[in-house]
Structure formats: structure tokens, C-alpha cells
Amino acid sequence: MAVAAAAHDRDAAGGGTGAAGACPLEAADRAAAYADYVRTETLLDLQRPRTGEPAELSFIIATQVMELLFTLVRQHWTAARDALEADDAEAAIAALRRGTGAQDVLVESWALLGTLTPAEFDRFRDSLGVASGVQSPGYRHLEFLLGNKSAGMIRPFRGQPDVHRDLERALAEPGLYDAALRLLHRRGLGVPAAAADRDWRRPYTPHPDVEKAWARVYADDRPGNELLRLAEALVDTAERVTRWRHRHLMAVKRAMGAKPGTGGSTGLDWLARNAGQDVFPELWSLRTAL
């Protein structure tokens, strides 16, 4: 980063040459090129608080950052899922590793709201109206990829045809864990056919034979066992999901306690149940028996 900044400062002073063999750009042209690529003006025009409460800006920025990160995590998880469907465990592991980096930033984004007091939140909460994070299509895509399928959760998007179609497609496709189990099934590790080929529109239900299949993977702890590395990459992913859910729970508990959530949700109770739900459950339950 320091090297890039130094090069940037040198270029801004007129010392850069741009692309090889090209004439140097004027500093103003380079600044315009940056703004055009990043869409700076558009990006910085998206924060429009509706009240005079300073904390509302933090709330809006934190929410927008999370939405961007949802998109990035979805890209990595989808790539991992597709690689597993193509029997490429190594590519799936690489995509999951990239995803955990984005997840770490996503988890830490709650720090922007971690000190929001009840009084601060109350001063702009009414401006949210019925808006709620559960209405985020980006978040819903991630939940579907995690196996938390629910046809009812896409009904609120019927007024957004493109979004609704995208979610319908995600609902009908195997999730990330489904693809991992299908890979184990093809490799003869004892994942039952009922888990490898089921109604993807329904939420995943744990199965004792799936736990046994993962136990067989863990029984071979040689460094070259790609399925073991895949299992641990999935655990890393799952743990970060739980961390994000818990940070969400604590931020809400600190800002509003057990009051009903916006959008009609049950607020703290729903978040607590969600945070307590294991992601990729057999990868956690098998640890008791190992």
C-alpha cells in the first residue's frame, strides 16, 4: 500500500508515464480517470440521511458496505459451489479462502455500529419505516447458498421482477453445502442419495450418515487429503457466518434491546435463534465423536 501511495504521489506530481510507451496524463485527467472507474461521485451521493442525527450516517454507510460485501461473498461462494459441482475441490477451496477474507471485513463492519446507543438509534429509527435487513436480496442469496431455503422469504420481492427471478433460481439450485455433499457422494464416502439429490427448495436437514461421511474424511488427516482441507475451509466459512450473526445480535441488543424489529420481525429473539443455528451442521456435530 505504501509503495502504491508513493507511486500515486509521484504520478500526481507529473513523474508518471501511465501505460508503457504512453504520454503522461495530466494530474486532473488521472483524477478523473480514477473517479470514473470507481464511480466516486455516484458512490458518495448514496448516503442521504433523513434526520439530523449524526449516527444515522454511520448506520447508512455500514449497511451499504455490508450490501457490497454480500455481493462479493456471494461471488466467492457461488464459484466454490460451481467448482464442487465440477469435481474441482482445489478450486473450491481457493474460492472459499477468498471468501473468508471478505467475510472477515463483513464481520468487522459491525464495529461501525457497535457503540450505537438507544437514544441515538431512537432519533432516526422512525426514518427507516418498515425497512429491515431481512428484506435484503443480497443477504437472502447468502442464506440460500448456506442451505437456509424458504420460498416465503422471496415473496416480498415480487414487485422487483429481476430480483425475484434471481432469487427463484437460487432457491431451486443446490447450495454450497449441498454441492460438497454431492462431491462426497460421487467419491463413494457414504453420503446417502437422499442428501445428494433432494428438493433444493427445502432447507437442509442433518443426517447421521452425512456425519459418518465427514468422519471418514477426518480419519485421513494426511496433508494431501484435499477433502479434509475442503472440510476445514467450510468450517472456516461457517464460523465466520456465526460471528457475523452474533455481532448483529449484539449490535441490536445494545441499540434497542428486545424491542420489536423494523419490518415486523421479532428482533432480538429471531437474531438469537439465527446465531445459535449451526452452519453446515454435521461438520460441527462430528467433533464430539472424533
Side-chain angles (χ1 to χ4, degrees):
M1 291 296 290
V3 172
H8 174 272
D9 291 344
R10 183 176 63 252
D11 289 348
T17 58
C23 295
L25 294 172
E26 294 293 335
D29 292 333
R30 285 194 295 275
Y34 172 83
D36 182 62
Y37 183 76
V38 181
R39 303 292 180 94
T40 312
E41 290 187 14
T42 300
L43 181 65
L44 299 180
D45 189 47
L46 297 176
Q47 296 77 47
R48 301 188 180 187
R50 298 176 178 178
T51 71
E53 170 54 50
E56 187 182 4
L57 181 61
S58 292
F59 186 88
I60 292 172
I61 289 176
T63 303
Q64 291 174 343
V65 165
M66 289 178 189
E67 287 291 339
L68 292 171
L69 289 166
F70 291 160
T71 299
L72 184 57
V73 172
R74 177 190 174 190
Q75 180 189 65
H76 294 316
W77 288 0
T78 300
R81 190 270 313 276
D82 293 348
L84 290 170
E85 290 286 78
D87 283 294
D88 192 343
E90 292 295 341
I93 293 167
L96 289 172
R97 293 301 181 204
R98 290 190 293 271
T100 56
Q103 284 182 274
D104 285 339
V105 180
L106 184 57
V107 171
E108 288 305 313
S109 64
W110 281 111
L112 296 172
L113 300 177
T115 59
L116 185 67
T117 69
E120 289 171 331
F121 188 45
D122 282 346
R123 284 195 285 268
F124 70 86
R125 187 183 181 192
D126 286 347
S127 70
L128 300 178
V130 296
S132 170
V134 299
Q135 299 157 357
S136 163
Y139 176 75
R140 189 53 46 201
H141 271 291
L142 294 188
E143 288 289 338
F144 283 0
L145 278 166
L146 291 172
N148 296 329
K149 301 291 187 73
S150 170
M153 295 306 294
I154 67 174
R155 292 192 193 108
F157 303 99
R158 284 177 295 187
Q160 302 168 267
D162 291 342
V163 172
H164 191 268
R165 278 193 298 271
D166 201 16
L167 285 169
E168 276 277 9
R169 189 181 308 113
L171 182 69
E173 293 175 340
L176 178 56
Y177 193 56
D178 295 318
L181 297 185
R182 285 159 63 83
L183 176 65
L184 266 58
H185 176 76
R186 291 193 299 271
R187 300 235 180 145
L189 286 162
V191 169
D197 186 14
R198 61 183 186 84
D199 181 0
W200 308 123
R201 297 175 63 89
R202 299 183 64 81
Y204 177 75
T205 301
H207 194 290
D209 288 341
V210 170
E211 181 179 313
K212 292 176 184 176
W214 283 120
R216 293 186 186 100
V217 170
Y218 274 84
D220 179 8
D221 63 353
R222 294 173 299 172
N225 184 358
E226 66 175 4
L227 293 181
L228 178 57
R229 290 189 290 110
L230 171 64
E232 285 296 282
L234 287 168
V235 169
D236 287 339
T237 298
E239 183 176 333
R240 284 163 173 79
V241 172
T242 299
R243 288 181 195 170
W244 189 87
R245 290 173 175 176
H246 190 261
R247 290 290 294 270
H248 188 182
L249 169 66
M250 296 311 297
V252 169
K253 189 173 185 177
R254 183 163 180 165
M256 57 178 278
K259 297 173 186 173
T262 55
S265 69
T266 55
L268 206 63
D269 287 344
W270 181 85
L271 292 172
R273 289 195 301 272
N274 203 32
Q277 178 183 343
D278 280 336
V279 180
F280 313 150
E282 291 92 349
L283 283 170
W284 297 101
S285 61
L286 72 85
R287 281 161 157 75
T288 302
L290 290 179

